[in-house]
């Protein structure tokens, strides 16, 4: 077979093409194309005429078909002849032969490249196999033998398509073995969707997703595959896929990639490979891994984004493990390799490397040694920039102290990337992306514990494992320590370790094993602050914050705690956040539990008792005085006062006071509980009494039962009879609104006795009013009326007009329940006029709601709707969420009774939303209530007038 004049190529792995020197050769007629295709599939070999006739002409008569075949071959020779030095289709005994090298036919080249790739892979040449697989797959441009519909063409197309899929999957196996699971996951997703019945690529995609830290997506692939197989074939997945599914479920370490294969030849240039080994137990962080891989981008040319990426976060959060894991995943992108240096910025017991020391390491890695390394740091940095100017290099600067340490270590080459880990956010570092790393969520932390301690032990004690995860707070370092302890003591149960970790005074001791210690990790950051002139306030503040059992810390409360001006307190909090010893929130900061334990330890070891006591008293008085200032803003009487040391936060209006209460809810509860266990009972009792009206205003008072009970004990201990009577009345109120009527009555009757003992019999009106409300709810209407009349007689309307209208309003509810509708409506109307003159702003909608109740029970539904609508508007404007929820509910009920079902549903949903937002209903409870066409009235609303 002679040589060709031009490079003739035939392509049918996609739209049909015949090319000569990359220019298309025009062919017309489906039989001409069919004959050429049939010959091309056997290029260089004889194809019998009978075979061609059967495939292309089918049922045509043999004599006519043979003549037609001769004509077609002649036409093809004429069309292709100009591109060959000899006859392109040669006549041979019994048939014809296409005189073309097989590699000039893309389908044959594809098959040959695939064979070579598999042979290279079998011999351990993974790099060569990868290149051959990629070259083979690049030949495909679409459907094989596109446009040819004859049966033989469809058979050949199916064969080629099957081989195409097999090669793609063979290549995926190779890439998975090399650690390219992130890219494989992306590439295989579409393949699996297009071929849902192929189990092999489904298994490969599951493995790739699992290794990429995306186990939930891997499980979803299995479920999708199983669903399609059952629906279309009536079969379950095969045993192999089922075993893989089970392995993913238990996070079996057998699925982990031991070490990606590398192929190095003598002729290749020296490539840096300084990375520490990847962490075998690396778990989760899939989103962070993807983000970092994308940020590092393609190597070898100018970046499309900042060349520096900073991972910051507190000590023990897994920054280094993440950086190393990602570096292993992308190392192949960098032709000059990966350079790694641990800067020891926060290593217990070691001083941070100086820039000069780090430069010596980096220059040594790049081939310089001894006298070749400049002694002057500036010259060394210049030499480093020169050596990296044309490199494709990934530089890992692990455990950096600050910006000054790493600025000289940034390479200058456009093909270089830098990945930095630091506790400091390095906010002043130019041209950098940033990723803040937080704690693992519960599921990922549990998966890590399972890998470290062994899945069998975790499965055997799931509740203990969950408790350990919770106590470790999602810190990978803490989980590593726990895992090491469990591995060292296979006889020890998880429940035993969980029980010991639950003791806060011992937890940091237990989170120390061999060379790993949470306490030491935190202490490094604290020590660094002490060394910095700008960090000394923050260093002093850390143990002070440990004195407070608060969920969060605000600048105002911190200023009170320290006795500093607000700006100084804010600056210290910001510095603690920068050191990753505090976590940020909107206008506030919080400790991670383990950092909080460290801060408490330091407080008791570093601060004199007098300083501790004084600081806590200042902080508690901040909350006490601020409550005093908030209550009048909500239209309530000022609270009883005790001597305090400083003013609280002032408010411009009730809306600002309400926002403060909402934002400080958890802190107020925690402050009250801490005060009750402290040495200052007067402050504790005052703080608890101060919670009542603000919490009632939001509907949270039913959560105060235990706090009130404890405060009553404290008040009794110091013979504070007035406070005890008030607290007892509040406790009865709480039980009333919880629907616990008998215990509520008992506490309220005791409160009556306490008021007499305090010498304040007229103050019994509040307890009598609540007894009247309870008896109304219980249907004991005569008793209810008697209690309310007794309360009214004790109230001086001139001195306490609010009390008088509250009692009269409750009397409205007795009247309509007794069937005295005209009296109820008349009294409610008088209160609508009177209330704005004497009542608090937050309650101004209350009489309108009572008037609506009276109208509704009287059957005057249209008037009821008007009154409820006004009540809802006024209560919403004042922010009285609980009362608004009640009025919205009854408005919805009335609208439903009028047949206005759509409007009714809207009001019911609004009521439930308010109760859910106030945490008075769980989301599940809210959903269940609204699931019914006519929802049942929530128990919370039935417990209140």
């Amino acid at each position: 077979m002679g040589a060709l004049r031009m490079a003739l190529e035939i392509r049918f792995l996609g739209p049909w093409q015949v090319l000569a020197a990359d220019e298309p050769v025009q062919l017309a007629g489906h039989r001409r194309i069919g004959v050429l295709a049939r010959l091309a599939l056997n290029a260089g070999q004889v194809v019998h005429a009978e075979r061609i006739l059967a495939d292309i002409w089918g049922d045509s008569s043999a004599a006519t078909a043979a003549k037609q075949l001769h004509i077609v071959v002649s036409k093809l020779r004429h069309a292709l002849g100009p591109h060959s030095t000899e006859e392109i289709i040669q006549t041979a005994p019994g048939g014809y032969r296409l005189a073309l090298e097989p590699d000039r036919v893309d389908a044959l080249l594809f098959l040959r490249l695939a064979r070579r790739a598999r042979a290279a892979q079998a011999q351990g040449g993974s790099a060569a196999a990868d290149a051959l697989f990629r070259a083979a797959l690049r030949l495909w441009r679409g459907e094989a033998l596109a446009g040819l519909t004859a049966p033989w063409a469809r058979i050949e197309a199916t064969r080629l398509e099957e081989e195409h899929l097999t090669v793609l999957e063979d290549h995926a196996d190779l890439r998975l073995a090399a650690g390219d699971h992130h890219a494989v996951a992306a590439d295989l997703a579409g393949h699996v969707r297009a071929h849902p019945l192929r189990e092999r690529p489904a298994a490969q995609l599951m493995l790739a997703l699992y290794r990429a830290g995306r186990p939930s997506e891997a499980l979803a692939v299995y479920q999708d595959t199983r669903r399609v197989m059952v629906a279309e074939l009536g079969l379950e997945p095969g045993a192999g896929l089922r075993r893989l599914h089970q392995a993913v479920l238990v996070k079996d370490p057998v699925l982990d990639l031991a070490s990606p294969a590398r192929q190095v030849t003598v002729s290749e240039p020296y490539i840096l490979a300084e990375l520490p080994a990847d962490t075998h137990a690396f778990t989760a962080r899939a989103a962070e891994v993807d983000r970092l891989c994308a940020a590092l981008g393609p190597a070898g040319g100018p970046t499309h984004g900042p060349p520096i990426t900073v991972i910051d976060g507190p000590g023990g959060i897994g920054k280094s493990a993440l950086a190393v894991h990602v570096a292993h995943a992308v190392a192949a992108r960098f032709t000059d390799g990966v350079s790694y240096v641990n800067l020891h910025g926060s290593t217990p017991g070691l001083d941070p490397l100086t820039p000069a020391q780090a430069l010596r390491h980096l220059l040594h890695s790049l081939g310089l040694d001894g006298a070749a390394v400049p002694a002057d740091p500036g010259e060394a940095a210049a030499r480093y920039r020169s050596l990296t100017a044309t490199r494709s290099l990934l530089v890992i600067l692990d455990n950096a102290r600050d910006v000054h340490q790493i600025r000289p270590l940034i390479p200058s080459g456009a093909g270089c990337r830098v990945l930095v880990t630091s506790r400091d956010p390095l906010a002043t570092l130019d041209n950098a992306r940033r990723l803040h790393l937080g704690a693992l969520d519960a599921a990922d932390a549990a998966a890590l514990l399972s890998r470290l301690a062994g899945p069998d032990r975790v499965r055997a004690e799931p509740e203990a494992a969950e408790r350990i995860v919770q106590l470790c707070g999602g810190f990978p370092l803490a989980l590593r320590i726990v895992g090491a302890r469990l591995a060292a003591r296979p006889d020890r149960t998880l429940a035993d370790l969980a029980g010991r970790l639950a003791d806060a005074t011992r937890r940091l001791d237990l989170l120390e094993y061999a060379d790993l210690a949470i306490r030491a990790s935190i202490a490094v950051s604290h020590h660094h602050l002490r060394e910095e002139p700008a960090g000394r306030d923050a260093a002093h503040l850390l143990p002070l914050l440990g004195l407070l059992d608060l969920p969060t810390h605000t600048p105002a409360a911190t200023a009170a705690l320290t006795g500093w001006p607000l700006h100084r307190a804010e600056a210290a909090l910001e510095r603690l956040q920068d050191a990753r010893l505090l976590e940020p929130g909107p206008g506030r900061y919080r400790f991670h539990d383990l950092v909080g334990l460290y801060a408490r330890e330091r407080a008791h070891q570093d601060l004199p008792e007098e300083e501790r006591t004084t600081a806590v008293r200042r902080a508690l008085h901040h909350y006490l005085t601020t409550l005093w200032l908030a209550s009048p803003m909500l239209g309530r009487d000022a609270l009883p006062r005790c001597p305090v040391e400083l003013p609280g936060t002032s408010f411009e209006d009730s809306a600002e006071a309400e926002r403060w209460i909402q934002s400080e809810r958890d802190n107020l509860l925690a402050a009250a509980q801490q005060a009750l266990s402290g040495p200052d009972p007067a402050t504790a009792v005052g703080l608890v009494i101060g919670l009542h009206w603000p919490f009632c205003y939001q509907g949270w008072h039913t959560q105060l039962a235990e706090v009130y009970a404890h405060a009553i004990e404290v008040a009794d201990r110091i013979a504070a009879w007035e406070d005890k009577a008030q607290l007892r009345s509040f406790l009865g109120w709480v039980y009333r609104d919880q629907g616990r009527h008998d215990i509520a009555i008992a506490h309220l009757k005791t409160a009556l006795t306490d008021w007499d003992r305090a010498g304040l019999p007229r103050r019994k009106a509040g307890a009598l009013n609540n007894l009247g409300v309870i008896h109304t709810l219980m249907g004991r209407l005569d008793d209810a009326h008697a209690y309310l009349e007794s309360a009214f007689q004790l109230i001086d309307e001139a001195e306490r007009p609010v009390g008088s209208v509250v009692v009269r309003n409750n009397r409205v509810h007795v009247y309509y329940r007794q069937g005295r509708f005209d009296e109820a409506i008349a009294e409610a109307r008088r209160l609508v006029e009177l209330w704005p003159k004497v009542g608090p702003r937050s309650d101004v909608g209350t009489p309108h709601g009572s008037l609506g109740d009276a109208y509704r029970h009287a059957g005057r539904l249209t008037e009821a709707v008007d009154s409820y609508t006004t009540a809802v508007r006024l209560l919403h404007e004042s922010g009285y969420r609980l009362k608004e929820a009640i009025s919205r509910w009854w408005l919805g009920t009335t609208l439903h009774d009028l047949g206005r079902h759509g409007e009714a549903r809207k009001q019911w949903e609004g009521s439930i939303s308010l109760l859910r937002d106030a945490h008075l209903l769980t989301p599940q409870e809210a959903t269940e209530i609204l699931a019914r066409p006519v929802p049942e009235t929530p128990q919370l609303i039935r417990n209140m007038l």
Side-chain angles (χ1 to χ4, degrees), residues 310-621:
V310 177
I311 307 172
D312 74 84
I317 207 66
K319 302 181 296 296
S320 297
L322 175 62
V324 169
H325 181 74
V326 168
H328 276 286
V330 302
R333 301 179 187 176
F334 298 91
T335 57
D336 292 306
V338 181
S339 182
Y340 172 90
V341 57
N342 187 339
L343 299 171
H344 296 301
S346 301
T347 304
L350 293 177
D351 292 330
L353 294 186
T354 65
Q357 290 172 321
L359 281 167
R360 278 198 294 273
H361 171 90
L362 291 166
L363 289 171
H364 176 74
S365 298
L366 293 168
L368 296 187
D369 206 351
V373 176
D376 179 75
E379 293 179 8
R383 185 72 171 122
Y384 173 66
R385 290 193 297 272
S386 177
L387 287 174
T388 57
T390 59
R391 302 252 181 167
S392 169
L393 184 68
L394 175 60
V395 179
I396 309 297
L397 302 177
D398 193 16
N399 197 5
R401 169 75 179 273
D402 53 33
V403 169
H404 302 293
Q405 186 186 30
I406 65 170
R407 273 204 176 109
L409 313 181
I410 305 301
S412 62
C416 296
R417 306 289 186 275
V418 182
L419 189 55
V420 185
T421 72
S422 177
R423 299 187 185 188
D424 191 289
L426 307 179
T428 60
L429 185 64
D430 296 330
N431 208 20
R433 306 174 195 255
R434 288 172 178 81
L435 171 66
H436 175 65
L437 204 59
L440 295 172
D441 62 28
D444 289 337
L448 178 56
L449 178 64
S450 180
R451 289 193 173 193
L452 293 165
D456 291 340
R457 294 177 79 176
V458 170
R459 280 196 298 269
E461 298 182 82
E463 293 181 1
E466 182 179 353
R467 183 64 176 146
I468 290 172
V469 164
Q470 180 184 11
L471 293 169
C472 288
F475 260 44
L477 176 59
L479 291 163
R480 285 179 60 202
I481 294 168
V482 165
R485 282 188 172 277
L486 290 170
R489 293 292 301 273
D491 58 321
R492 175 156 289 164
T493 65
L494 272 67
D496 174 65
L497 181 57
R500 291 189 296 145
L501 283 170
D503 181 354
T505 62
R506 299 180 58 200
R507 193 175 310 157
L508 291 181
D509 293 329
L510 289 168
L511 293 177
E512 183 171 344
Y513 191 82
D515 61 338
L516 303 177
I518 286 287
R519 182 187 285 111
S521 176
I522 299 169
V524 171
S525 293
H526 191 202
H527 177 71
H528 286 167
L529 289 174
R530 291 194 185 108
E531 292 179 334
E532 302 170 6
R536 287 172 187 165
D537 272 355
H540 182 66
L541 175 59
L542 182 70
L544 284 171
L545 292 176
L547 294 170
L548 299 180
D549 300 329
L550 302 181
T552 60
H553 301 277
T554 65
T558 301
L561 174 74
T562 56
W564 295 342
L566 182 63
H567 68 86
R568 184 178 175 188
E570 285 183 309
L573 288 167
E574 286 287 325
R575 188 65 193 91
L576 284 173
Q577 179 190 331
D578 288 343
R580 296 303 179 234
L581 293 170
L582 282 179
E583 299 172 0
R588 58 192 59 242
Y589 304 82
R590 70 179 70 245
F591 276 131
H592 184 279
D593 289 347
L594 299 178
V595 180
L597 290 177
Y598 171 86
R600 183 175 300 177
E601 276 189 357
R602 297 309 333 154
H604 289 278
Q605 293 177 21
D606 299 347
L607 303 177
E609 182 178 358
E610 181 179 356
E611 183 179 354
R612 298 198 303 267
T613 302
T614 301
V616 171
R617 184 169 60 246
R618 285 195 302 256
L620 294 177
H621 281 191

